[in-house]
């Protein structure tokens, strides 16, 4: 053991004897261990000026370590001088603050800016300032900024005061500010803070102010749309403030520099429809398309893909490409190739963008459709309630032949898994005007109840997509629909069974239930029993004694018009065909009458004389109702109650006085009473 310990030391000595240097131990010589004196000694002063170059030797190179050490020494010397003057740290900070205030005071309009900031501090606390005091403060603010607004709006701290002045200004004062800033709006749009001032002026919807501001952006659209600050306010103006003609002027600048320099002087004839422009000048087709493509690609590369004006330009470009051309294929690749799919996701929430996404689905190959659908993952729920984005989901139903892909991608996200459904999602899908189209389109198709006049554009887009589908999709439309219905039915039936109490409280919710139960496939027993259970209890219109008057409980379902209509439809077991004049019952039948009757049997007379009297009438007319004789016997025993309800003048089915629509037209008013009770009496006589 001793021999082994001796060997390393012997080797170390031998190594040292070879002439190589032994490493020196590191010693701490940093500035923390130096003693600073008020004045350097003579020897230190002389030594500081000596160098090897003075003696004829080579100049020494100063390394990073020595430079850092020198900086530390100089900083420490400065600290020593400060201590010599007797200044404390607090005094030094106070002096720095004083110097900063002196520099601010030396700037132009320093006193005015300082006063406007004080006024703004008071005005921004709206609820803490009396109306009279606020008016005095606004008048003082206007007295300061009038005639010098351009000087104020370009200062980041003073522009807030100008915005506050606009907020509390009169229409005359706003127009005064707008006119004073005339000629500077493009510059303001590029400012990080002043751009919001433009929005403050336009949000008031004053046509004169709008016509002052927007024309100043003509000829500068290409520059501003690529600017990091101006692009957002420019798109906000295009989307929310500009008229149709002003939008056309701004969009035309995407077609080439000549459209920015030479604008049409004929009022009312300006168009941004690229197909019309190319029809007039077909020789410029390649030039215009190249310029438009370059502008759109430039913004896509910069990740600035959320602009409405960009989506409008992209749609115009796509609509004027020839089918199966190389330009079209390149455009599709550009859209699909955007990283993270931000372009497609942003397109879903604008009118032109959503239409373009639908057209890409229609013209694309199976691979393209799969990639587009994959891009929208985790966005379907948000898209379903959007005025434009919901149509992409409807287009996916009608265009994608791979129904397994469609059902696995869309349904679990918007409905949730069967065992873990969120009631908020289901109620949203049933009641939202746009989301209900997504949830019920496969059941109802293009019915008027699903597509009211407010959604006429949706029907136009669907007809366009169906025309393209004839050449791009292989599967029959009805086969595709049935496959999707079979896929979504279990989740929809489970949702109705789980959230029936929440759904029956609204008219749209009841329509959702009826469509699902009449059109879905599979076992509906659980859903039907859940709907029937909502009819339990006495249909009493009076509030319970312990009910909160501010937040009263929902009325009994028999007292609501939509509830009675739902039960009547389910008892009938199908939809009424106006042309044939009969109810087309579904197969297999629902047999809802036998499920509902045991629940309402105890209060069936109250149903018969109430707003839902047609529900009881439906039970008697149902061909598969097994307790018809029992119900007739029960109603006959209460014939006087039915007669009173049927002949009670001036009342409706719910016992309320009807609103007369023909008071002064000389016509006879309609007979009062409960119409359902009257028809029930006729059934009893038969």
């Amino acid at each position: 053991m001793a021999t082994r310990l001796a060997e390393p030391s012997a080797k170390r000595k031998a190594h040292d004897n070879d002439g190589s240097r032994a490493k020196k131990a590191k010693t701490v010589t940093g500035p923390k261990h130096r003693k600073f004196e008020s004045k350097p000694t003579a020897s230190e002063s002389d030594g500081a000026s000596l160098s090897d170059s003075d003696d004829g030797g080579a100049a020494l190179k100063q390394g990073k370590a020595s430079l850092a050490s020198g900086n530390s020494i100089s900083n420490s010397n400065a600290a020593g001088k400060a201590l010599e003057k007797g200044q404390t740290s607090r005094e030094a900070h106070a002096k720095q603050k004083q110097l900063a205030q002196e520099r601010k005071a030396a700037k132009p309009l320093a006193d005015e800016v300082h006063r406007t900031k004080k006024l703004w501090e008071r005005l921004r606390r709206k609820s803490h300032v009396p109306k009279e005091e606020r008016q005095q403060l606004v008048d003082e603010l206007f007295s300061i900024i009038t005639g010098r607004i351009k000087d104020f709006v370009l200062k980041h701290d003073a522009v807030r005061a100008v915005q506050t002045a606009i907020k509390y200004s009169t229409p005359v004062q706003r127009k005064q500010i707008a006119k004073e800033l005339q000629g500077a709006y493009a510059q303001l749009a590029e400012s990080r803070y002043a751009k919001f001032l433009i929005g403050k002026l336009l949000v008031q919807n004053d046509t004169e102010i709008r016509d002052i501001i927007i024309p100043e952006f003509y000829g500068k659209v290409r520059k501003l749309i690529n600017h990091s600050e101006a692009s957002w306010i420019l798109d906000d103006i295009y989307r929310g403030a500009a008229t149709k003609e002003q939008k056309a002027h701004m969009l035309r600048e995407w077609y080439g520099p000549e459209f920015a320099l030479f604008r049409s002087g004929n009022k009312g004839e300006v168009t941004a429809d690229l197909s019309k422009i190319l029809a007039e000048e077909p020789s410029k087709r390649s030039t215009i398309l190249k310029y438009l493509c370059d502008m759109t690609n430039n913004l896509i590369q910069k990740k600035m893909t959320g602009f409405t004006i960009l989506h409008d330009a992209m749609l115009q470009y796509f609509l004027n490409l020839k089918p199966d051309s190389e330009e079209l294929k390149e455009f599709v690749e550009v859209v699909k190739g955007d990283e993270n799919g931000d372009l497609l996701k942003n397109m879903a929430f604008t009118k032109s963008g959503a239409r373009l996404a639908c057209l890409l689905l229609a013209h694309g190959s199976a691979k393209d459709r799969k990639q587009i659908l994959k891009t929208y993952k985790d966005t379907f729920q948000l898209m379903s309630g959007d005025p434009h984005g919901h149509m992409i989901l409807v287009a996916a139903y009608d265009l994608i032949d791979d129904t397994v892909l469609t059902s696995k991608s869309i349904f679990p996200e918007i409905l949730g898994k069967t065992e873990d459904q969120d009631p908020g999602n289901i109620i949203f899908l049933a009641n939202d005007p746009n989301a209900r189209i997504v949830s019920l389109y496969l059941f109802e198709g293009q019915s008027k109840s699903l597509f009211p006049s407010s959604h006429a554009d949706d029907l136009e887009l669907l007809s366009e997509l169906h025309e393209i589908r004839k050449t791009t999709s292989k599967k029959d439309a009805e086969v595709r629909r049935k496959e999707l219905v079979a896929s979504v039915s279990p989740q929809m039936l489970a949702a109705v069974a789980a959230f029936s109490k929440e759904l029956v409280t609204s008219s749209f919710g009841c329509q959702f239930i009826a469509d699902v139960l009449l059109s879905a496939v599979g076992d509906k027993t659980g859903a039907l029993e859940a709907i029937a259970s909502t009819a339990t209890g006495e249909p009493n219109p009076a509030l319970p004694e312990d009910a909160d008057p501010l937040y009263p409980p929902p009325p009994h379902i028999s007292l609501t018009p939509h509830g009675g209509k739902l039960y009547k439809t389910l008892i009938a077991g199908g939809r009424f065909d106006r042309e044939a004049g009969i109810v087309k019952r579904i197969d297999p039948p629902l047999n809802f009458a036998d499920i509902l009757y045991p629940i309402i049997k105890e209060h069936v007379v109250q149903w018969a004389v109430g707003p839902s009297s047609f529900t009881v009438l439906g039970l008697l007319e149902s061909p598969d109702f097994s307790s018809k004789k029992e119900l007739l016997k029960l109603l006959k025993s209460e014939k006087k109650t039915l007669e009173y309800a049927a002949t009670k003048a001036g009342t409706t089915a719910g016992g309320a006085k009807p609103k007369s629509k023909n008071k002064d037209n000389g016509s006879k008013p309609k007979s009062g009473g409960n119409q359902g009770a009257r028809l029930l009496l006729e059934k009893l006589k038969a």
Side-chain angles (χ1 to χ4, degrees):
M1 193 69 177
T3 307
R4 289 182 180 177
L5 289 171
E7 286 177 0
S9 60
K11 288 181 180 179
R12 196 176 294 116
K13 289 179 181 178
H15 183 71
D16 293 341
N17 293 334
D18 291 342
S20 58
R21 295 183 180 178
K23 292 183 179 179
K24 295 182 180 180
K26 292 183 179 179
T27 57
V28 181
T29 58
K32 290 183 180 179
H33 298 275
R34 296 179 181 271
K35 291 183 179 180
F36 294 99
E37 300 176 1
S38 58
K39 292 183 180 180
T41 60
S43 60
E44 289 174 341
S45 177
D46 295 337
S49 61
L50 295 176
S51 69
D52 288 354
S53 59
D54 296 337
D55 298 332
L60 295 175
K61 292 183 179 179
Q62 194 172 13
K64 291 182 180 179
S66 60
L67 285 171
S69 177
N71 290 337
S72 300
I73 294 170
S74 61
N75 292 338
S76 300
N77 285 335
K81 290 178 181 177
L83 290 173
E84 267 189 349
K85 295 178 181 178
Q87 276 188 332
T88 62
S89 176
R90 181 178 295 179
E91 291 172 345
H93 282 299
K95 186 175 181 181
Q96 290 175 356
K97 190 174 182 180
Q98 182 182 356
L99 290 172
Q101 290 176 349
E102 290 175 357
R103 284 194 296 269
K104 283 185 179 180
K107 292 180 179 180
L109 301 174
D111 295 337
E112 290 83 351
V113 170
H114 180 73
R115 180 56 185 162
T116 57
K117 287 166 67 176
K118 292 294 184 183
L119 293 172
W120 173 77
E121 283 289 344
R122 183 68 178 147
L123 282 169
R124 71 188 183 93
R125 303 182 68 194
K126 183 177 180 180
S127 60
H128 295 75
V129 182
K131 186 176 180 180
E132 296 76 11
E133 183 184 353
R134 186 189 307 122
Q135 188 58 47
Q136 293 176 1
L137 295 173
V138 170
D139 292 341
E140 183 182 354
L141 185 57
F142 267 97
S143 66
I144 296 172
I145 65 175
T146 301
R148 296 179 290 191
I149 291 180
K150 287 185 180 180
D151 298 325
F152 280 88
V153 294
L154 294 175
K155 298 179 184 294
H156 72 90
D157 50 354
V159 70
R160 298 180 213 172
V162 180
Q163 292 180 33
T164 304
I166 294 172
K167 180 179 179 180
Y168 295 112
S169 63
T170 63
V172 176
Q173 289 172 326
R174 282 195 295 273
K175 290 176 184 178
Q176 179 186 348
I177 293 174
K179 290 176 181 178
E180 191 170 335
L181 290 172
Q182 201 165 2
Y185 287 108
Q187 183 185 1
L188 297 181
E190 295 177 348
S191 171
R192 184 177 181 182
Y193 300 99
K195 65 181 180 182
F196 299 109
L197 180 67
I198 302 175
K200 284 283 187 182
L201 288 169
L202 289 172
V203 78
Q204 305 295 335
N205 294 323
D206 189 299
T207 55
E208 185 178 345
I209 293 176
R210 181 196 65 202
D211 293 338
I212 290 173
I213 295 174
I214 295 179
E216 292 203 12
F217 297 106
Y218 296 166
K220 303 168 186 174
V221 171
R222 181 186 177 97
K223 176 188 175 184
L224 295 177
I225 199 64
N226 284 282
H227 193 276
S228 58
E229 301 293 342
S231 55
W232 295 102
I233 190 65
L234 178 70
D235 191 66
D236 286 344
I237 291 170
Y238 176 85
R239 182 181 67 253
T243 63
K244 185 177 180 181
E245 182 182 348
Q246 290 168 340
K247 286 182 178 180
H249 275 298
M250 297 169 76
L251 187 57
R252 282 167 64 92
E253 295 187 28
W254 291 65
Y255 303 155
E258 66 271 22
F259 292 93
L261 295 173
F262 308 106
R263 293 186 296 277
S264 175
N266 298 325
K267 190 174 182 180
E269 296 183 4
V270 180
T271 179
D273 190 338
L274 187 55
S275 59
K276 294 181 180 179
I277 295 172
L278 294 178
E280 294 176 0
E281 300 181 81
S283 60
K284 294 184 178 180
R285 173 185 168 80
S286 59
T287 307
I288 291 175
L289 290 180
K290 185 179 184 305
Y291 191 89
L292 178 55
C293 182
D294 290 342
M295 277 195 70
T296 55
N297 282 343
N298 189 29
L299 289 178
I300 293 171
Q301 294 300 322
K302 290 182 176 181
K303 307 296 181 187
M304 301 167 71
T305 57
F307 301 138
T308 302
I309 192 172
L310 169 65
H311 302 160
D312 287 354
M314 290 176 68
L315 178 63
Q316 291 296 324
Y317 180 79
F318 180 85
L319 293 175
N320 288 277
L321 295 177
K322 296 178 180 179
D324 301 325
S325 64
E326 287 299 321
E327 294 171 330
L328 180 61
K329 292 178 182 177
E330 289 176 3
F331 179 79
V332 173
E333 290 302 320
V334 167
V335 175
K336 293 193 308 178
D338 181 52
E339 293 181 10
N340 302 323
D342 289 341
L343 175 58
L344 276 169
K345 290 177 181 177
N346 286 324
M347 283 166 51
F349 301 99
T350 63
K351 184 177 180 179
S352 295
R355 184 186 173 193
L356 178 56
C358 292
L359 292 173
L360 289 173
L361 282 172
H363 288 282
S365 63
K367 187 178 179 181
D368 295 336
R369 292 169 178 174
K370 182 178 180 180
Q371 187 170 345
I372 291 172
L373 205 61
K374 186 179 178 181
T375 302
Y376 286 121
K377 185 180 179 183
D378 300 328
T379 318
F380 292 125
Q381 182 69 38
L382 192 61
M383 290 166 59
S384 65
D386 186 76
H388 312 297
H390 73 278
M391 283 306 298
I392 299 176
L393 303 182
V394 175
Y397 295 159
D398 280 348
L399 298 171
I400 298 177
D401 291 337
D402 189 352
T403 54
V404 176
L405 171 67
T406 306
S407 57
K408 286 185 176 180
S409 300
I410 298 176
F411 298 149
E413 187 173 330
I414 64 174
L415 294 171
K417 295 181 179 179
T418 306
E419 64 277 4
D420 187 28
Q421 288 182 327
D422 182 8
N425 282 1
I426 304 302
I427 295 169
F428 172 74
L429 287 172
N431 292 286
D432 185 81
N434 301 307
R436 63 192 300 269
I437 295 176
V438 176
S439 60
L440 299 177
Y441 176 72
L442 294 171
F443 300 138
E444 283 201 41
Q446 300 181 27
S447 66
K448 290 183 179 179
S449 61
L450 200 59
F451 291 92
S453 58
S454 58
H455 287 73
D457 292 341
D458 294 352
L459 294 175
E460 291 180 10
L461 179 57
L462 282 175
S463 62
E464 181 182 6
L465 297 177
H466 291 169
E467 191 65 29
I468 299 170
R469 182 179 64 182
K470 294 177 181 178
T471 57
T472 58
S473 295
K474 299 177 181 179
K475 186 174 289 188
D476 181 71
E478 185 61 19
V479 173
R480 184 190 299 106
R481 187 193 71 82
K482 287 182 178 179
E483 289 178 356
L484 290 171
V485 167
S487 177
V488 75
S489 290
Q491 291 168 287
M492 296 289 260
L493 290 171
V496 170
F499 311 116
S500 55
K501 291 183 179 179
E502 292 84 355
L503 290 170
V504 297
T505 58
S506 67
S507 176
F508 279 162
C510 289
Q511 185 181 348
F512 178 88
I513 293 170
D515 287 337
V516 171
L517 291 175
L518 293 176
S519 303
V521 294
D523 184 12
K524 305 175 184 178
T525 307
L528 290 170
E529 290 176 351
I531 298 303
S533 67
T534 60
T536 56
E538 183 181 2
N540 187 2
L543 289 176
E545 295 181 359
D546 57 345
D548 187 349
L550 296 177
Y551 302 99
H556 191 272
I557 191 168
S558 67
L559 302 176
T560 62
H562 50 265
K565 187 176 181 180
L566 170 65
Y567 288 140
K568 181 185 174 184
T569 302
L570 295 180
I571 291 169
R575 292 188 177 91
F576 182 77
D577 188 346
R578 291 181 180 274
E579 295 181 0
I582 59 172
V583 174
K584 289 188 175 181
R585 294 169 60 84
I586 63 171
D587 187 32
L590 295 178
N591 296 326
F592 185 66
D594 288 337
I595 299 174
L596 178 65
Y597 180 67
I599 295 175
I600 67 170
K601 179 180 177 180
E602 185 180 353
H603 307 289
V604 71
V605 176
Q606 289 176 271
W607 282 69
V609 297
S612 296
S613 56
F614 282 93
T615 300
V616 182
L617 181 64
L619 291 173
L620 294 176
E621 293 176 346
S622 177
D624 52 9
F625 180 43
S626 60
S627 303
K628 185 180 296 185
K629 291 182 180 179
E630 180 185 347
L631 177 58
L632 284 171
K633 184 179 180 181
L634 183 60
L635 291 175
K636 285 179 181 179
S637 65
E638 297 289 340
K639 188 175 180 180
K640 290 184 178 180
T641 306
L642 292 173
E643 288 175 348
Y644 178 77
T647 58
K648 188 177 179 181
T651 60
T652 62
K657 291 184 178 180
K659 294 181 180 179
S660 177
K661 296 182 180 179
N662 44 15
K663 283 185 178 180
D664 302 321
N665 57 6
S667 61
K668 293 181 180 180
K670 292 183 180 180
S671 60
N674 191 313
Q675 184 67 19
R678 188 178 298 112
L679 293 174
L680 284 171
L681 287 172
E682 293 178 4
K683 288 284 183 183
L684 296 179
K685 293 177 184 178

